[in-house]
Amino acid sequence: MLPGSKWLSHQLGLEGLSPAVSSGIILCFWALSTWILAQVSSSVYRYYTICQYFRCFPQPPLQNWFVGHLGMVTRHREESLKYIISTVATFREAFLIWRGPFQPVVSLCHPDYIRPVTSASAYVAPKDDLTYGFFKPWLGDGLLVSEGDKWSQHWCLLAPAFHFDILKPYVKIFNQSTDIMHAKWRHLCAEGSTYLDVFDHISLMTLDSLQKCIFSHDSNCQEKPSPYISSILELSVLITKRFNRFLQHWDSLYFLTEEGRLFSEACRLVHDSTNNVIQARKKVLAEQGPEAFLKNKGKGKTMDFIDVLLLAKDENGKSLSDKEIQEEANTFMFEGHDTTASGISWALYNLAHHQEHQDRCHQEIQELLRGHQPEEIEWDDLSQMPFLTMCIKESMRLHPPVTIVVRKCTKDIQLPDSRIIPKGALTQST
């Protein structure tokens, strides 16, 4: 028997077993205990080393030790925006935040400090698996989540969707969706309403536009509830909530919760809706053939995003699978509506704070419309609004639609002041 094994054998209830079997079990117990102790010690040492390594970075006050800074920035809250502005004003170059008790993230604010990360290759500063992994059940390996060769291949296949000849007819769609939103606003004003959430209305308008541009489908979502649109909005909110709850970062725990089940159900509805459109369009394409299909699209019908994806082929003549088409369509529905709605909302906000610029934009538009109806405005007319274009670009510089980009460093990255972001650390550009 091993030293001290009689006591341990008694504690484990092994007295009835033969000495050889009892010793074997005890040996396994000691080996497992030693391994667990080594792992715990290694984690504690690694945590201590991390804390020492990041001492050169200042950090705002923690919410508490366990959640770190999670939950201090939430979606669509004025207090969150004020907190971000205040923090960046205090730590103007770089600071440290904590995602839970063990995961530090270097937040970079100044362009000179962001540049070493953004200019690094995708292999040195790839996307963070945890952050973008929250989107995978919904968006799969679409452009937002994928990386490396797959990202490059899909981007090349999707590039034709942004050709001017494809985009030009969309101006009429944008005008129609915006007219619906303006009619709603006029109705609210006529009823005496003095308050509305601009972002919510603009989000519905962008979702309405995207459904028409991606699927050639008019859901009338600005005027009546749409299960598909409601699911997209719900998924966006659920992902934000999950990010701010440390214990829900693990899939095995999250999908046992009520919110995890709601997320799965919303994903199912979105995937089914997208797949139904893809299958119906594939049937039409198979019946007509590519040449006749394109010819019909040239007779006044708009080439939408699904059409581009179905017809796309790489240099070897390989097409995208149904699943890949679904993933890219869902990605564009999410990224397209949220970022566009944010950019438009901030542009309106900034113009409201600068009446003189607003007046000049209004005058420029009036001159463009002289002798024309709004619905007659086409793609080429947009270049005749240089001042409005400058205002939009300046608004996006001040309030970019994508406020945070998270990367994981696979190598040490040196900042301009010689501080080092160590290998394995996360960074976010704020």
Side-chain angles (χ1 to χ4, degrees), residues 199-231:
F199 184 82
D200 286 348
H201 283 254
I202 293 177
S203 290
L204 284 175
M205 184 271 291
T206 56
L207 283 165
D208 187 20
S209 299
L210 279 168
Q211 274 202 293
K212 296 168 183 173
C213 296
I214 294 176
F215 303 119
S216 294
H217 175 65
D218 187 358
S219 66
N220 297 312
C221 64
Q222 294 192 76
E223 300 168 293
K224 64 179 183 181
S226 162
Y228 175 76
I229 297 301
S230 297
S231 296

PDB file of all heavy atoms in Angstrom, residues 199-231:
ATOM      1  N   PHE A 199     -33.933  56.493 -33.937  1.00  0.00           N
ATOM      2  CA  PHE A 199     -33.159  55.309 -34.322  1.00  0.00           C
ATOM      3  C   PHE A 199     -34.074  54.123 -34.628  1.00  0.00           C
ATOM      4  O   PHE A 199     -33.840  53.381 -35.589  1.00  0.00           O
ATOM      5  CB  PHE A 199     -32.169  54.939 -33.220  1.00  0.00           C
ATOM      6  CG  PHE A 199     -31.278  53.780 -33.581  1.00  0.00           C
ATOM      7  CD1 PHE A 199     -30.142  53.978 -34.347  1.00  0.00           C
ATOM      8  CD2 PHE A 199     -31.597  52.487 -33.176  1.00  0.00           C
ATOM      9  CE1 PHE A 199     -29.328  52.900 -34.698  1.00  0.00           C
ATOM     10  CE2 PHE A 199     -30.801  51.410 -33.522  1.00  0.00           C
ATOM     11  CZ  PHE A 199     -29.656  51.623 -34.279  1.00  0.00           C
ATOM     12  N   ASP A 200     -35.105  53.924 -33.826  1.00  0.00           N
ATOM     13  CA  ASP A 200     -36.025  52.800 -34.070  1.00  0.00           C
ATOM     14  C   ASP A 200     -36.715  52.928 -35.420  1.00  0.00           C
ATOM     15  O   ASP A 200     -36.857  51.948 -36.167  1.00  0.00           O
ATOM     16  CB  ASP A 200     -37.075  52.727 -32.954  1.00  0.00           C
ATOM     17  CG  ASP A 200     -36.496  52.188 -31.659  1.00  0.00           C
ATOM     18  OD1 ASP A 200     -35.363  51.667 -31.688  1.00  0.00           O
ATOM     19  OD2 ASP A 200     -37.161  52.315 -30.614  1.00  0.00           O
ATOM     20  N   HIS A 201     -37.168  54.141 -35.744  1.00  0.00           N
ATOM     21  CA  HIS A 201     -37.849  54.365 -37.025  1.00  0.00           C
ATOM     22  C   HIS A 201     -36.883  54.167 -38.196  1.00  0.00           C
ATOM     23  O   HIS A 201     -37.250  53.560 -39.212  1.00  0.00           O
ATOM     24  CB  HIS A 201     -38.435  55.783 -37.069  1.00  0.00           C
ATOM     25  CG  HIS A 201     -39.688  55.938 -36.268  1.00  0.00           C
ATOM     26  ND1 HIS A 201     -40.933  56.052 -36.839  1.00  0.00           N
ATOM     27  CD2 HIS A 201     -39.891  55.985 -34.932  1.00  0.00           C
ATOM     28  CE1 HIS A 201     -41.853  56.171 -35.897  1.00  0.00           C
ATOM     29  NE2 HIS A 201     -41.240  56.135 -34.722  1.00  0.00           N
ATOM     30  N   ILE A 202     -35.671  54.673 -38.042  1.00  0.00           N
ATOM     31  CA  ILE A 202     -34.693  54.551 -39.131  1.00  0.00           C
ATOM     32  C   ILE A 202     -34.245  53.099 -39.282  1.00  0.00           C
ATOM     33  O   ILE A 202     -33.997  52.627 -40.397  1.00  0.00           O
ATOM     34  CB  ILE A 202     -33.496  55.492 -38.892  1.00  0.00           C
ATOM     35  CG1 ILE A 202     -33.971  56.946 -39.010  1.00  0.00           C
ATOM     36  CG2 ILE A 202     -32.371  55.229 -39.886  1.00  0.00           C
ATOM     37  CD1 ILE A 202     -32.903  57.981 -38.726  1.00  0.00           C
ATOM     38  N   SER A 203     -34.154  52.352 -38.177  1.00  0.00           N
ATOM     39  CA  SER A 203     -33.802  50.926 -38.256  1.00  0.00           C
ATOM     40  C   SER A 203     -34.835  50.166 -39.080  1.00  0.00           C
ATOM     41  O   SER A 203     -34.483  49.327 -39.924  1.00  0.00           O
ATOM     42  CB  SER A 203     -33.715  50.322 -36.856  1.00  0.00           C
ATOM     43  OG  SER A 203     -32.592  50.807 -36.164  1.00  0.00           O
ATOM     44  N   LEU A 204     -36.120  50.448 -38.851  1.00  0.00           N
ATOM     45  CA  LEU A 204     -37.163  49.790 -39.642  1.00  0.00           C
ATOM     46  C   LEU A 204     -37.075  50.188 -41.114  1.00  0.00           C
ATOM     47  O   LEU A 204     -37.297  49.372 -42.011  1.00  0.00           O
ATOM     48  CB  LEU A 204     -38.542  50.143 -39.088  1.00  0.00           C
ATOM     49  CG  LEU A 204     -38.958  49.430 -37.799  1.00  0.00           C
ATOM     50  CD1 LEU A 204     -40.292  49.968 -37.306  1.00  0.00           C
ATOM     51  CD2 LEU A 204     -39.050  47.922 -38.017  1.00  0.00           C
ATOM     52  N   MET A 205     -36.738  51.455 -41.356  1.00  0.00           N
ATOM     53  CA  MET A 205     -36.609  51.917 -42.738  1.00  0.00           C
ATOM     54  C   MET A 205     -35.456  51.206 -43.451  1.00  0.00           C
ATOM     55  O   MET A 205     -35.588  50.773 -44.607  1.00  0.00           O
ATOM     56  CB  MET A 205     -36.406  53.434 -42.758  1.00  0.00           C
ATOM     57  CG  MET A 205     -36.348  54.039 -44.152  1.00  0.00           C
ATOM     58  SD  MET A 205     -34.677  54.089 -44.856  1.00  0.00           S
ATOM     59  CE  MET A 205     -33.918  55.327 -43.801  1.00  0.00           C
ATOM     60  N   THR A 206     -34.317  51.059 -42.765  1.00  0.00           N
ATOM     61  CA  THR A 206     -33.175  50.377 -43.393  1.00  0.00           C
ATOM     62  C   THR A 206     -33.461  48.891 -43.581  1.00  0.00           C
ATOM     63  O   THR A 206     -33.063  48.297 -44.589  1.00  0.00           O
ATOM     64  CB  THR A 206     -31.891  50.569 -42.564  1.00  0.00           C
ATOM     65  OG1 THR A 206     -32.100  50.106 -41.218  1.00  0.00           O
ATOM     66  CG2 THR A 206     -31.477  52.032 -42.523  1.00  0.00           C
ATOM     67  N   LEU A 207     -34.150  48.278 -42.631  1.00  0.00           N
ATOM     68  CA  LEU A 207     -34.531  46.869 -42.785  1.00  0.00           C
ATOM     69  C   LEU A 207     -35.504  46.691 -43.953  1.00  0.00           C
ATOM     70  O   LEU A 207     -35.411  45.725 -44.719  1.00  0.00           O
ATOM     71  CB  LEU A 207     -35.168  46.349 -41.495  1.00  0.00           C
ATOM     72  CG  LEU A 207     -34.200  46.027 -40.365  1.00  0.00           C
ATOM     73  CD1 LEU A 207     -34.944  45.883 -39.036  1.00  0.00           C
ATOM     74  CD2 LEU A 207     -33.418  44.748 -40.661  1.00  0.00           C
ATOM     75  N   ASP A 208     -36.433  47.621 -44.100  1.00  0.00           N
ATOM     76  CA  ASP A 208     -37.375  47.602 -45.220  1.00  0.00           C
ATOM     77  C   ASP A 208     -36.621  47.689 -46.544  1.00  0.00           C
ATOM     78  O   ASP A 208     -36.876  46.925 -47.487  1.00  0.00           O
ATOM     79  CB  ASP A 208     -38.345  48.773 -45.062  1.00  0.00           C
ATOM     80  CG  ASP A 208     -39.479  48.745 -46.085  1.00  0.00           C
ATOM     81  OD1 ASP A 208     -39.737  47.664 -46.648  1.00  0.00           O
ATOM     82  OD2 ASP A 208     -40.100  49.797 -46.308  1.00  0.00           O
ATOM     83  N   SER A 209     -35.655  48.617 -46.609  1.00  0.00           N
ATOM     84  CA  SER A 209     -34.856  48.791 -47.834  1.00  0.00           C
ATOM     85  C   SER A 209     -34.040  47.540 -48.142  1.00  0.00           C
ATOM     86  O   SER A 209     -33.976  47.090 -49.294  1.00  0.00           O
ATOM     87  CB  SER A 209     -33.920  49.995 -47.679  1.00  0.00           C
ATOM     88  OG  SER A 209     -34.637  51.186 -47.467  1.00  0.00           O
ATOM     89  N   LEU A 210     -33.427  46.972 -47.118  1.00  0.00           N
ATOM     90  CA  LEU A 210     -32.561  45.815 -47.339  1.00  0.00           C
ATOM     91  C   LEU A 210     -33.356  44.593 -47.792  1.00  0.00           C
ATOM     92  O   LEU A 210     -32.883  43.820 -48.635  1.00  0.00           O
ATOM     93  CB  LEU A 210     -31.788  45.493 -46.062  1.00  0.00           C
ATOM     94  CG  LEU A 210     -30.547  46.364 -45.818  1.00  0.00           C
ATOM     95  CD1 LEU A 210     -30.018  46.166 -44.413  1.00  0.00           C
ATOM     96  CD2 LEU A 210     -29.462  46.030 -46.832  1.00  0.00           C
ATOM     97  N   GLN A 211     -34.531  44.403 -47.227  1.00  0.00           N
ATOM     98  CA  GLN A 211     -35.342  43.270 -47.686  1.00  0.00           C
ATOM     99  C   GLN A 211     -35.656  43.386 -49.176  1.00  0.00           C
ATOM    100  O   GLN A 211     -35.680  42.392 -49.902  1.00  0.00           O
ATOM    101  CB  GLN A 211     -36.634  43.199 -46.880  1.00  0.00           C
ATOM    102  CG  GLN A 211     -36.501  42.423 -45.574  1.00  0.00           C
ATOM    103  CD  GLN A 211     -37.840  41.917 -45.090  1.00  0.00           C
ATOM    104  OE1 GLN A 211     -38.704  42.696 -44.709  1.00  0.00           O
ATOM    105  NE2 GLN A 211     -38.010  40.612 -45.096  1.00  0.00           N
ATOM    106  N   LYS A 212     -35.896  44.617 -49.626  1.00  0.00           N
ATOM    107  CA  LYS A 212     -36.183  44.827 -51.048  1.00  0.00           C
ATOM    108  C   LYS A 212     -34.931  44.646 -51.902  1.00  0.00           C
ATOM    109  O   LYS A 212     -35.010  44.128 -53.028  1.00  0.00           O
ATOM    110  CB  LYS A 212     -36.767  46.224 -51.258  1.00  0.00           C
ATOM    111  CG  LYS A 212     -38.128  46.430 -50.575  1.00  0.00           C
ATOM    112  CD  LYS A 212     -38.536  47.896 -50.567  1.00  0.00           C
ATOM    113  CE  LYS A 212     -39.842  48.107 -49.825  1.00  0.00           C
ATOM    114  NZ  LYS A 212     -40.178  49.540 -49.649  1.00  0.00           N
ATOM    115  N   CYS A 213     -33.775  45.071 -51.371  1.00  0.00           N
ATOM    116  CA  CYS A 213     -32.527  44.993 -52.148  1.00  0.00           C
ATOM    117  C   CYS A 213     -31.899  43.601 -52.105  1.00  0.00           C
ATOM    118  O   CYS A 213     -31.238  43.192 -53.061  1.00  0.00           O
ATOM    119  CB  CYS A 213     -31.510  46.008 -51.623  1.00  0.00           C
ATOM    120  SG  CYS A 213     -32.018  47.731 -51.807  1.00  0.00           S
ATOM    121  N   ILE A 214     -32.073  42.872 -51.004  1.00  0.00           N
ATOM    122  CA  ILE A 214     -31.465  41.551 -50.874  1.00  0.00           C
ATOM    123  C   ILE A 214     -32.379  40.463 -51.409  1.00  0.00           C
ATOM    124  O   ILE A 214     -31.954  39.577 -52.148  1.00  0.00           O
ATOM    125  CB  ILE A 214     -31.094  41.269 -49.393  1.00  0.00           C
ATOM    126  CG1 ILE A 214     -29.986  42.222 -48.938  1.00  0.00           C
ATOM    127  CG2 ILE A 214     -30.640  39.819 -49.213  1.00  0.00           C
ATOM    128  CD1 ILE A 214     -29.614  42.085 -47.475  1.00  0.00           C
ATOM    129  N   PHE A 215     -33.681  40.540 -51.054  1.00  0.00           N
ATOM    130  CA  PHE A 215     -34.614  39.469 -51.393  1.00  0.00           C
ATOM    131  C   PHE A 215     -35.675  39.858 -52.409  1.00  0.00           C
ATOM    132  O   PHE A 215     -36.488  39.004 -52.805  1.00  0.00           O
ATOM    133  CB  PHE A 215     -35.344  38.997 -50.123  1.00  0.00           C
ATOM    134  CG  PHE A 215     -34.436  38.528 -49.027  1.00  0.00           C
ATOM    135  CD1 PHE A 215     -34.438  39.161 -47.790  1.00  0.00           C
ATOM    136  CD2 PHE A 215     -33.581  37.473 -49.217  1.00  0.00           C
ATOM    137  CE1 PHE A 215     -33.608  38.740 -46.766  1.00  0.00           C
ATOM    138  CE2 PHE A 215     -32.741  37.031 -48.206  1.00  0.00           C
ATOM    139  CZ  PHE A 215     -32.755  37.668 -46.966  1.00  0.00           C
ATOM    140  N   SER A 216     -35.734  41.139 -52.807  1.00  0.00           N
ATOM    141  CA  SER A 216     -36.825  41.639 -53.662  1.00  0.00           C
ATOM    142  C   SER A 216     -38.176  41.385 -53.007  1.00  0.00           C
ATOM    143  O   SER A 216     -39.158  41.028 -53.657  1.00  0.00           O
ATOM    144  CB  SER A 216     -36.791  40.979 -55.051  1.00  0.00           C
ATOM    145  OG  SER A 216     -35.631  41.358 -55.746  1.00  0.00           O
ATOM    146  N   HIS A 217     -38.213  41.565 -51.695  1.00  0.00           N
ATOM    147  CA  HIS A 217     -39.439  41.284 -50.930  1.00  0.00           C
ATOM    148  C   HIS A 217     -39.885  42.532 -50.187  1.00  0.00           C
ATOM    149  O   HIS A 217     -39.080  43.202 -49.540  1.00  0.00           O
ATOM    150  CB  HIS A 217     -39.180  40.152 -49.927  1.00  0.00           C
ATOM    151  CG  HIS A 217     -40.351  39.889 -49.013  1.00  0.00           C
ATOM    152  ND1 HIS A 217     -41.570  39.424 -49.480  1.00  0.00           N
ATOM    153  CD2 HIS A 217     -40.491  40.042 -47.673  1.00  0.00           C
ATOM    154  CE1 HIS A 217     -42.391  39.281 -48.467  1.00  0.00           C
ATOM    155  NE2 HIS A 217     -41.779  39.657 -47.354  1.00  0.00           N
ATOM    156  N   ASP A 218     -41.164  42.846 -50.293  1.00  0.00           N
ATOM    157  CA  ASP A 218     -41.735  43.990 -49.575  1.00  0.00           C
ATOM    158  C   ASP A 218     -42.574  43.461 -48.412  1.00  0.00           C
ATOM    159  O   ASP A 218     -43.658  42.931 -48.609  1.00  0.00           O
ATOM    160  CB  ASP A 218     -42.602  44.824 -50.520  1.00  0.00           C
ATOM    161  CG  ASP A 218     -43.092  46.114 -49.869  1.00  0.00           C
ATOM    162  OD1 ASP A 218     -42.777  46.338 -48.668  1.00  0.00           O
ATOM    163  OD2 ASP A 218     -43.791  46.894 -50.538  1.00  0.00           O
ATOM    164  N   SER A 219     -42.047  43.604 -47.195  1.00  0.00           N
ATOM    165  CA  SER A 219     -42.727  43.071 -46.011  1.00  0.00           C
ATOM    166  C   SER A 219     -43.655  44.088 -45.360  1.00  0.00           C
ATOM    167  O   SER A 219     -44.384  43.745 -44.432  1.00  0.00           O
ATOM    168  CB  SER A 219     -41.690  42.624 -44.976  1.00  0.00           C
ATOM    169  OG  SER A 219     -40.974  43.740 -44.475  1.00  0.00           O
ATOM    170  N   ASN A 220     -43.587  45.355 -45.827  1.00  0.00           N
ATOM    171  CA  ASN A 220     -44.356  46.436 -45.194  1.00  0.00           C
ATOM    172  C   ASN A 220     -44.051  46.534 -43.697  1.00  0.00           C
ATOM    173  O   ASN A 220     -44.920  46.847 -42.888  1.00  0.00           O
ATOM    174  CB  ASN A 220     -45.864  46.238 -45.387  1.00  0.00           C
ATOM    175  CG  ASN A 220     -46.266  46.293 -46.847  1.00  0.00           C
ATOM    176  OD1 ASN A 220     -45.862  47.203 -47.573  1.00  0.00           O
ATOM    177  ND2 ASN A 220     -47.027  45.311 -47.297  1.00  0.00           N
ATOM    178  N   CYS A 221     -42.788  46.234 -43.336  1.00  0.00           N
ATOM    179  CA  CYS A 221     -42.425  46.160 -41.921  1.00  0.00           C
ATOM    180  C   CYS A 221     -42.487  47.512 -41.215  1.00  0.00           C
ATOM    181  O   CYS A 221     -42.522  47.567 -39.982  1.00  0.00           O
ATOM    182  CB  CYS A 221     -41.032  45.558 -41.752  1.00  0.00           C
ATOM    183  SG  CYS A 221     -39.689  46.548 -42.462  1.00  0.00           S
ATOM    184  N   GLN A 222     -42.502  48.611 -41.979  1.00  0.00           N
ATOM    185  CA  GLN A 222     -42.601  49.937 -41.343  1.00  0.00           C
ATOM    186  C   GLN A 222     -44.029  50.244 -40.905  1.00  0.00           C
ATOM    187  O   GLN A 222     -44.252  51.122 -40.067  1.00  0.00           O
ATOM    188  CB  GLN A 222     -42.129  51.027 -42.300  1.00  0.00           C
ATOM    189  CG  GLN A 222     -40.655  50.960 -42.648  1.00  0.00           C
ATOM    190  CD  GLN A 222     -40.192  52.206 -43.344  1.00  0.00           C
ATOM    191  OE1 GLN A 222     -39.999  53.244 -42.722  1.00  0.00           O
ATOM    192  NE2 GLN A 222     -39.992  52.124 -44.649  1.00  0.00           N
ATOM    193  N   GLU A 223     -44.975  49.512 -41.479  1.00  0.00           N
ATOM    194  CA  GLU A 223     -46.383  49.815 -41.208  1.00  0.00           C
ATOM    195  C   GLU A 223     -47.099  48.730 -40.410  1.00  0.00           C
ATOM    196  O   GLU A 223     -48.154  48.975 -39.822  1.00  0.00           O
ATOM    197  CB  GLU A 223     -47.112  50.033 -42.545  1.00  0.00           C
ATOM    198  CG  GLU A 223     -46.519  51.196 -43.336  1.00  0.00           C
ATOM    199  CD  GLU A 223     -47.011  51.240 -44.765  1.00  0.00           C
ATOM    200  OE1 GLU A 223     -46.667  50.324 -45.545  1.00  0.00           O
ATOM    201  OE2 GLU A 223     -47.746  52.179 -45.097  1.00  0.00           O
ATOM    202  N   LYS A 224     -46.539  47.517 -40.412  1.00  0.00           N
ATOM    203  CA  LYS A 224     -47.148  46.434 -39.634  1.00  0.00           C
ATOM    204  C   LYS A 224     -46.043  45.494 -39.166  1.00  0.00           C
ATOM    205  O   LYS A 224     -44.968  45.424 -39.777  1.00  0.00           O
ATOM    206  CB  LYS A 224     -48.176  45.679 -40.478  1.00  0.00           C
ATOM    207  CG  LYS A 224     -47.579  44.964 -41.682  1.00  0.00           C
ATOM    208  CD  LYS A 224     -48.641  44.220 -42.478  1.00  0.00           C
ATOM    209  CE  LYS A 224     -48.014  43.449 -43.636  1.00  0.00           C
ATOM    210  NZ  LYS A 224     -49.011  42.727 -44.435  1.00  0.00           N
ATOM    211  N   PRO A 225     -46.268  44.777 -38.063  1.00  0.00           N
ATOM    212  CA  PRO A 225     -45.239  43.876 -37.534  1.00  0.00           C
ATOM    213  C   PRO A 225     -44.861  42.786 -38.533  1.00  0.00           C
ATOM    214  O   PRO A 225     -45.709  42.278 -39.266  1.00  0.00           O
ATOM    215  CB  PRO A 225     -45.890  43.280 -36.280  1.00  0.00           C
ATOM    216  CG  PRO A 225     -46.978  44.239 -35.911  1.00  0.00           C
ATOM    217  CD  PRO A 225     -47.475  44.820 -37.205  1.00  0.00           C
ATOM    218  N   SER A 226     -43.578  42.443 -38.550  1.00  0.00           N
ATOM    219  CA  SER A 226     -43.066  41.376 -39.403  1.00  0.00           C
ATOM    220  C   SER A 226     -42.293  40.398 -38.524  1.00  0.00           C
ATOM    221  O   SER A 226     -41.333  40.803 -37.863  1.00  0.00           O
ATOM    222  CB  SER A 226     -42.149  41.938 -40.492  1.00  0.00           C
ATOM    223  OG  SER A 226     -41.345  40.921 -41.060  1.00  0.00           O
ATOM    224  N   PRO A 227     -42.691  39.125 -38.469  1.00  0.00           N
ATOM    225  CA  PRO A 227     -41.965  38.157 -37.632  1.00  0.00           C
ATOM    226  C   PRO A 227     -40.482  38.080 -37.975  1.00  0.00           C
ATOM    227  O   PRO A 227     -39.636  37.966 -37.086  1.00  0.00           O
ATOM    228  CB  PRO A 227     -42.680  36.828 -37.927  1.00  0.00           C
ATOM    229  CG  PRO A 227     -44.041  37.219 -38.392  1.00  0.00           C
ATOM    230  CD  PRO A 227     -43.857  38.511 -39.134  1.00  0.00           C
ATOM    231  N   TYR A 228     -40.160  38.146 -39.272  1.00  0.00           N
ATOM    232  CA  TYR A 228     -38.758  38.079 -39.700  1.00  0.00           C
ATOM    233  C   TYR A 228     -37.971  39.283 -39.173  1.00  0.00           C
ATOM    234  O   TYR A 228     -36.887  39.124 -38.587  1.00  0.00           O
ATOM    235  CB  TYR A 228     -38.706  38.035 -41.226  1.00  0.00           C
ATOM    236  CG  TYR A 228     -37.307  38.095 -41.798  1.00  0.00           C
ATOM    237  CD1 TYR A 228     -36.476  36.982 -41.773  1.00  0.00           C
ATOM    238  CD2 TYR A 228     -36.814  39.268 -42.369  1.00  0.00           C
ATOM    239  CE1 TYR A 228     -35.194  37.022 -42.293  1.00  0.00           C
ATOM    240  CE2 TYR A 228     -35.540  39.325 -42.900  1.00  0.00           C
ATOM    241  CZ  TYR A 228     -34.729  38.206 -42.855  1.00  0.00           C
ATOM    242  OH  TYR A 228     -33.464  38.262 -43.374  1.00  0.00           O
ATOM    243  N   ILE A 229     -38.505  40.477 -39.341  1.00  0.00           N
ATOM    244  CA  ILE A 229     -37.827  41.687 -38.873  1.00  0.00           C
ATOM    245  C   ILE A 229     -37.739  41.701 -37.354  1.00  0.00           C
ATOM    246  O   ILE A 229     -36.702  42.056 -36.771  1.00  0.00           O
ATOM    247  CB  ILE A 229     -38.567  42.949 -39.376  1.00  0.00           C
ATOM    248  CG1 ILE A 229     -38.532  43.013 -40.905  1.00  0.00           C
ATOM    249  CG2 ILE A 229     -37.958  44.200 -38.774  1.00  0.00           C
ATOM    250  CD1 ILE A 229     -37.153  43.050 -41.500  1.00  0.00           C
ATOM    251  N   SER A 230     -38.817  41.285 -36.687  1.00  0.00           N
ATOM    252  CA  SER A 230     -38.804  41.235 -35.220  1.00  0.00           C
ATOM    253  C   SER A 230     -37.724  40.290 -34.717  1.00  0.00           C
ATOM    254  O   SER A 230     -37.061  40.562 -33.703  1.00  0.00           O
ATOM    255  CB  SER A 230     -40.167  40.783 -34.697  1.00  0.00           C
ATOM    256  OG  SER A 230     -41.178  41.712 -35.051  1.00  0.00           O
ATOM    257  N   SER A 231     -37.507  39.187 -35.432  1.00  0.00           N
ATOM    258  CA  SER A 231     -36.475  38.219 -35.026  1.00  0.00           C
ATOM    259  C   SER A 231     -35.080  38.812 -35.170  1.00  0.00           C
ATOM    260  O   SER A 231     -34.213  38.595 -34.317  1.00  0.00           O
ATOM    261  CB  SER A 231     -36.593  36.939 -35.862  1.00  0.00           C
ATOM    262  OG  SER A 231     -37.812  36.289 -35.612  1.00  0.00           O
TER     263      SER A 231
END
